[in-house]
Amino acid sequence: MPWKKYALFALSCHAIFAVQTPTKYSVQVIDMGNAKESVSIASEKTPSGPAWFVTNQQIDPQKFSAQMLAAGKRSEPTPTGFTPIEVPSNLFKIFPKTPQGSTFWYYKSFIAPSNPRATLALRLGRISDIDEVYLNGILIGQSGDATQKHAHAWDKIRVYDIPMVLLQPLEKNILLVRVKSYFPNEFGIISDHLELGDAAKLNRELIVNDVQQLIFLACYLTFGAYFLFLFIRRPQDRSYLLFFIFIAILVVYQFLQTQVKYTVTANFLLLKRLEYIVLLSMFPAFYFYARDFFSVNTIRIFRYIHYAALVAVTAHIGLALVILFVDNPVLWATLNEHVVLQGTMPFFLIISLTIVGYKIAKRNRDATTIMIGLIFLLASLIVDNLIYYGILNIPRVTSYVIFLFLVSLAFILANQFVRVHKQVEDLNRNLEQKVIERTHELQNSLQHVQELKTQQDGDYFLTSLLIEPLAANRVDSEHTRVEFFVKEKKEFSFRRWSREIGGDMCVAHSLELSGRKFTVVMNGDAMGKSMQGAGGALVLGSVFASIIERTRNSSIGYSLAPETWLKDAFVELNRVFESFDGSMLVSIVLAAIDDEAGVMYYVNAEHPWTILYRNGRAIFTEAELALRKLGTLGVNEAIQVKTFYLEDGDIVIMGSDGRDDLILGIDHEGERI
């Protein structure tokens, strides 16, 4: 059909015309009238908005500016080799495979106002990394040094004054921005807003924004210092110290996000190194604060979580060492993005939220308040991450939201203070009554204890009455004299009597053996103190008294040799104490002294060694252990009776555990005598 041919011909002509005719863009007109002090020169999404172009080709700023100034005034075609672009934005979207250190040129044209009332300035926001700005082919400002190998200017906001002699009023002006990249996935005019306007206003806005940030940070630090003061007054509350550490770290990190840091030092590597290290310590500090504040250390699941947190902290320490000793900001940024922002930071936030959520489930009102603040803080961190990745182009909001978070913590402190104040008021109102009640309780307890003590002392007294006749000194001899000295550890009073009770037992009798008169003595010590020892002494004294009476009343006893009598008596005593299955042992010295011949027969069962005092000199009569204590299995075998002869004036000392503790002095080697 003929009409189809005409249609195809028309479409072809239109396509050829579209290719051969370059697209034209309107030149932005800067209108400083109506009291406007600044005008945005950023890209807009409307077709008539301010146009920006970018190229990765090398150009001569003077020649290129002269060429573009010679073109049309109100509209102009896209420059050859340039690509329209939205500014601010990341050039990585257009040039994804760009080597490090590549150079790019931004181009923009605008019509200057006729009579600006003050010196103009140009705000270009944050540029990654090094930039040079030309107006009409003349350099008006730059940040960074292109000869440096490291990034050192990428987060600095650029504000450059415009010399009035370079500006062409009511004429087209050419703005060129040369950018040298450093980071492989982020370069160009990245964020913030782009403006042309009054230099005083633009610089004032920059300063005012930083001053606002510093005021907030001063408030945060003051608030944290209050917690430090509380810790100094109450060192047992470690959560106050941990919260101060968290606030201090947060303040330092937020300060490093301001432009004021460049007034402190121009060393970019030092500032970024400090920023990344502070960021590594921020979230662990908050986790340790939450863990200590809510006291979840003893809960099993949180102990396991804490082990995982310690692993994450160890990873942070490793990253901090890398940042300290490796001068590579690209590596720092990569580790920060993949390890911290996408790994440990969400982990610490999640476990902190878990701790708070657990306390909310336990109906902790403070946890509910903190959860509200944490939700706002988490939302602000998400927004700041979107800003970091270039998805949003707005100022950071975390520093403002932190204020709400700290207000929630202040609210918790206020609640705690009110609760403590109410408790103090309640104590003051009921203090007298509580003192009376407590005193009455103590009196009742004391009376009950006194009754129990009286009953116990009665038991002690009855036991001492039983022991007293058994521990008798009934020696009737012209040649041998026996004396007792007993001092027990347990002393007590019952009614009008004062007595002692313990496990010591001293007994002495006169007895006939083999037709001769003997003095029989026993010194024993039953194990245990007070009632336990007294029980053993009572059994020991009863059995020994039975042996004495049986010997006296039996005709066989008169014919027994002293050695045989001692062995039989020892065996009988041991069998009685064996029945206690080792729960009662007794050390003992058992002796029989021939009153006329002066011969002493004796056995020592793990008792302190017997002492002979003769002619002003004391010696031990034993040199080795012969028998084990009464009550020890197998003691009945191989009983050896020792003998020695006494002379007139000899003194034999059979002591228990008291005399061994006498210290006479220190010898020349420092040993006790």
Side-chain angles (χ1 to χ4, degrees), residues 356-384:
V356 178
Y358 172 80
K359 285 299 180 178
I360 291 176
K362 295 294 183 179
R363 302 185 182 278
N364 187 308
R365 290 178 294 177
D366 294 340
T368 304
T369 306
I370 286 186
M371 178 62 79
I372 295 173
L374 277 176
I375 290 174
F376 280 102
L377 181 62
L378 182 60
S380 67
L381 291 173
I382 292 174
V383 171
D384 276 6

Side-chain angles (χ1 to χ4, degrees), residues 223 227 237-247 249 281-297 306 348 351-352 355-356 366-367 369-371 374 377 405-406 408-413 416:
F223 190 73
F227 277 87
D237 293 333
R238 291 190 311 166
S239 59
Y240 293 147
L241 176 63
L242 294 173
F243 185 74
F244 167 74
I245 293 173
F246 168 70
I247 291 296
I249 293 173
S281 57
M282 184 190 308
F283 295 99
F286 180 78
Y287 159 72
F288 283 110
Y289 158 70
R291 181 174 182 268
D292 193 86
F293 180 78
F294 289 112
S295 302
V296 295
N297 307 348
H306 184 62
F348 281 115
I351 60 177
S352 299
I355 292 173
V356 178
D366 294 340
T369 306
I370 286 186
M371 178 62 79
L374 277 176
L377 181 62
F405 178 63
L406 295 182
S408 68
L409 295 176
F411 184 71
I412 291 174
L413 275 180
Q416 289 180 342

Side-chain angles (χ1 to χ4, degrees), residues 189-253:
I189 302 176
I190 301 299
S191 61
D192 199 58
H193 49 279
L194 284 70
E195 291 181 316
L196 178 66
D198 182 15
K201 174 182 179 296
L202 294 179
N203 286 286
R204 183 171 61 251
E205 286 178 350
L206 193 63
I207 295 174
V208 168
N209 181 66
D210 285 339
V211 169
Q212 290 176 349
Q213 297 283 341
L214 293 178
I215 291 174
F216 274 109
L217 296 183
C219 295
Y220 301 159
L221 195 59
T222 302
F223 190 73
Y226 176 69
F227 277 87
L228 179 61
F229 173 76
L230 292 178
F231 171 74
I232 294 173
R233 297 299 301 270
R234 291 179 55 84
Q236 63 270 29
D237 293 333
R238 291 190 311 166
S239 59
Y240 293 147
L241 176 63
L242 294 173
F243 185 74
F244 167 74
I245 293 173
F246 168 70
I247 291 296
I249 293 173
L250 187 62
V251 166
V252 174
Y253 180 75

Side-chain angles (χ1 to χ4, degrees), residues 42 134 204 216 228 288 305 323 384 425 484 499 519 524 530 567 580 596-597 639 645 653:
Y134 296 84
R204 183 171 61 251
F216 274 109
L228 179 61
F288 283 110
I305 291 175
I323 294 171
D384 276 6
E425 288 182 342
F484 293 166
R499 290 182 178 273
T519 298
S530 63
K567 289 182 180 180
F580 292 106
E596 294 182 358
I639 300 175
Y645 291 90
I653 301 174

Side-chain angles (χ1 to χ4, degrees), residues 66-115:
Q67 178 184 354
M68 298 309 296
L69 287 172
K73 180 178 180 181
R74 295 292 176 177
S75 63
E76 59 184 21
T78 301
T80 304
F82 279 80
T83 303
I85 188 174
E86 185 177 337
V87 177
S89 64
N90 190 353
L91 289 183
F92 180 74
K93 301 174 183 178
I94 301 176
F95 305 100
K97 296 182 179 181
T98 301
Q100 182 180 352
S102 299
T103 300
F104 302 89
W105 286 90
Y106 284 90
Y107 161 70
K108 177 179 178 57
S109 59
F110 64 91
I111 305 239
S114 59
N115 54 347

Side-chain angles (χ1 to χ4, degrees), residues 302-320:
F302 289 108
R303 287 205 302 266
Y304 296 147
I305 291 175
H306 184 62
Y307 297 148
L310 292 179
V311 173
V313 170
T314 304
H316 278 208
I317 294 174
L319 293 179

Side-chain angles (χ1 to χ4, degrees), residues 478-548:
E478 298 178 356
H479 304 284
T480 305
R481 181 165 55 93
V482 178
E483 296 180 357
F484 293 166
F485 174 78
V486 179
K487 179 68 175 176
E488 301 288 6
K489 183 175 182 180
K490 177 62 180 178
E491 299 178 356
F492 65 94
S493 297
F494 180 71
R495 296 181 182 176
R496 66 178 184 275
W497 296 283
S498 296
R499 290 182 178 273
E500 300 175 354
I501 191 172
D504 293 304
M505 174 63 68
C506 294
V507 183
H509 289 276
S510 293
L511 197 67
E512 288 188 11
L513 297 171
S514 299
R516 300 177 67 83
K517 191 173 182 179
F518 281 82
T519 298
V520 178
V521 295
M522 182 192 70
N523 179 262
D525 184 13
M527 62 182 282
K529 304 296 182 183
S530 63
M531 282 298 293
Q532 182 186 7
L538 183 61
V539 174
L540 178 65
S542 300
V543 176
F544 190 72
S546 174
I547 295 173
I548 293 294

